[in-house]
Amino acid sequence: MNTILIKKIKLNNSDKDILISGNRFERIADEISIAADIEIDGSGMAIIPPFYNGHCHSAMTLLRGYADDMLLDKWLNEYIWPFEAKMSAADIYAGSRLAILEMIKSGTVFFCDMYWDEEQTIRAAEEMGVRASIGVSMMDRLDHKTLKRNFEFLAEEHNYSSRISLNVAPHAIYTVGKELLCKCRDAAEKNNLTLSMHLAETQKEIDDCLAENNTTPVRYLEKLGLLGENSVFAHVVHVDEGEAEILAKTKSVIVHNPASNMKLSSGVLKMSLLQEKGCRVMLGTDGTSSNNNLCMLDEMKLAALLAKVSDRPDLATADEIFEMATAKGAAYFNINAGKIEEGKLADALLINLKNERLVPNYNLISNLVYSADCSCIDTVICNGQIIMQNHKVKGEGEIIDEAIKVCEKLTKA
Ligand SMILES: [Zn+2]
């Protein structure tokens, strides 16, 4: 079994030696003296859990900055959808690799994705060593043959590594009708998979749902039996007190995407209401065409600030926000990681404490939430493997060149 020994690293303010054996943290002690396969000098660095991104459309990195600052309708119909119609499977692979590169460099080791040609994103995640829950997208506008293939794909046995899982991804209540939603619910239950979906993102979604179904989106999904601890809902901006109670009672997971909600003028998530009711909240970036990066450090800062703008400065503390981005995110996706503890899966970041944004270091978590950028991340470890060291990812130049080439081709055609 491969071993990594990290010497003299700061863990919660004290110097520790940490032994990783295989894909787990085997021992954490004041001093460990063994000959490991790899030894890392951790002096001047701190070890923290990495980030778990609850909602992303990874291949949309190819659309970063392609169309901004316009109303949703025009944005989708005139820019996003025509561009996406030209994307091939190879383009999606290149876009996914660019996204994963960006995520690793900003300390993320897991993402929940929703796109199509999902096998390309799975291939990229497998090769680059990260964890992913890859959504198989469902929408009424997909033809019968594609939907049939999607459900079969979800039911099949796959030889993926333990880092990869699939999820059932009905896009939203306004693109997926009752019948298909129920089929998605059944497929998730039958195959023991997570269900992921956009929910209560805009006021229009609420108004349309009230007009069509005479109830609000959360209550509508409750009636259809789609809520539960394996259901992950992105955005969840527009909910009333009763809906927050329903989400808490059913243990449904809410993914807060503050950058996207602000950029698309979707509204402000009611953090204090959700916290008061005991809802399970994690963070996500959404895709790069509505963000426009995949940096969870940015997302933590925005989540903390946004909660304070609409409420009180003592709400959504740095510790709470950091936990949403790390331990809670891992737990909600049933990944036994997100904490630097013996027995946990070995996912970790080594942070350079001499980085100018982390000095002085009165409170590391506060510095990470409010001050850090990704240049402070030296090393990324996922499942006991080093996937970035000295802030360099293997093959990053080639991944970037390929993405540039693909985008040139797509905009010329
Ligand atoms: Zn989304």
Side-chain angles (χ1 to χ4, degrees), residues 55 57 198 234-235 286-287:
H55 181 66
H57 310 275
H198 297 100
H235 303 291
D286 211 350

mmCIF file of all heavy atoms in Angstrom, residues 55 57 198 234-235 286-287, ligand 1:
data_model
loop_
_atom_site.group_PDB
_atom_site.id
_atom_site.type_symbol
_atom_site.label_atom_id
_atom_site.label_comp_id
_atom_site.label_asym_id
_atom_site.label_seq_id
_atom_site.Cartn_x
_atom_site.Cartn_y
_atom_site.Cartn_z
ATOM 1 N N HIS A 55 -22.748 21.693 -6.889
ATOM 2 C CA HIS A 55 -23.501 21.912 -8.130
ATOM 3 C C HIS A 55 -22.651 22.590 -9.193
ATOM 4 O O HIS A 55 -22.143 23.684 -8.993
ATOM 5 C CB HIS A 55 -24.747 22.761 -7.854
ATOM 6 C CG HIS A 55 -25.576 23.004 -9.079
ATOM 7 N ND1 HIS A 55 -26.239 21.996 -9.742
ATOM 8 C CD2 HIS A 55 -25.833 24.132 -9.783
ATOM 9 C CE1 HIS A 55 -26.867 22.491 -10.788
ATOM 10 N NE2 HIS A 55 -26.646 23.788 -10.845
ATOM 11 N N HIS A 57 -21.758 22.629 -13.772
ATOM 12 C CA HIS A 57 -21.929 22.130 -15.148
ATOM 13 C C HIS A 57 -20.542 22.256 -15.754
ATOM 14 O O HIS A 57 -20.211 23.276 -16.367
ATOM 15 C CB HIS A 57 -22.939 22.984 -15.920
ATOM 16 C CG HIS A 57 -24.234 23.199 -15.179
ATOM 17 N ND1 HIS A 57 -25.272 22.298 -15.224
ATOM 18 C CD2 HIS A 57 -24.648 24.199 -14.368
ATOM 19 C CE1 HIS A 57 -26.270 22.738 -14.480
ATOM 20 N NE2 HIS A 57 -25.914 23.884 -13.948
ATOM 21 N N HIS A 198 -32.249 21.466 -10.223
ATOM 22 C CA HIS A 198 -32.402 22.888 -9.896
ATOM 23 C C HIS A 198 -33.776 23.072 -9.251
ATOM 24 O O HIS A 198 -34.743 22.474 -9.706
ATOM 25 C CB HIS A 198 -32.368 23.753 -11.165
ATOM 26 C CG HIS A 198 -31.077 23.692 -11.915
ATOM 27 N ND1 HIS A 198 -30.896 22.911 -13.029
ATOM 28 C CD2 HIS A 198 -29.895 24.332 -11.714
ATOM 29 C CE1 HIS A 198 -29.658 23.069 -13.487
ATOM 30 N NE2 HIS A 198 -29.018 23.918 -12.708
ATOM 31 N N ALA A 234 -30.219 22.458 -6.160
ATOM 32 C CA ALA A 234 -29.402 23.653 -6.355
ATOM 33 C C ALA A 234 -30.270 24.907 -6.300
ATOM 34 O O ALA A 234 -31.410 24.889 -6.758
ATOM 35 C CB ALA A 234 -28.691 23.577 -7.701
ATOM 36 N N HIS A 235 -29.723 25.961 -5.737
ATOM 37 C CA HIS A 235 -30.309 27.310 -5.627
ATOM 38 C C HIS A 235 -31.263 27.441 -4.439
ATOM 39 O O HIS A 235 -30.906 28.036 -3.439
ATOM 40 C CB HIS A 235 -30.949 27.760 -6.941
ATOM 41 C CG HIS A 235 -29.960 27.737 -8.074
ATOM 42 N ND1 HIS A 235 -28.913 28.617 -8.139
ATOM 43 C CD2 HIS A 235 -29.822 26.886 -9.121
ATOM 44 C CE1 HIS A 235 -28.177 28.332 -9.210
ATOM 45 N NE2 HIS A 235 -28.702 27.286 -9.818
ATOM 46 N N ASP A 286 -22.116 26.359 -9.448
ATOM 47 C CA ASP A 286 -22.862 26.388 -10.695
ATOM 48 C C ASP A 286 -21.844 26.425 -11.850
ATOM 49 O O ASP A 286 -20.639 26.295 -11.620
ATOM 50 C CB ASP A 286 -23.828 27.582 -10.739
ATOM 51 C CG ASP A 286 -25.093 27.264 -11.563
ATOM 52 O OD1 ASP A 286 -25.124 26.221 -12.232
ATOM 53 O OD2 ASP A 286 -26.035 28.074 -11.543
ATOM 54 N N GLY A 287 -22.305 26.576 -13.084
ATOM 55 C CA GLY A 287 -21.374 26.548 -14.227
ATOM 56 C C GLY A 287 -20.660 27.873 -14.419
ATOM 57 O O GLY A 287 -21.079 28.896 -13.887
HETATM 58 ZN ZN ZN B 1 -27.092 24.910 -12.536
#
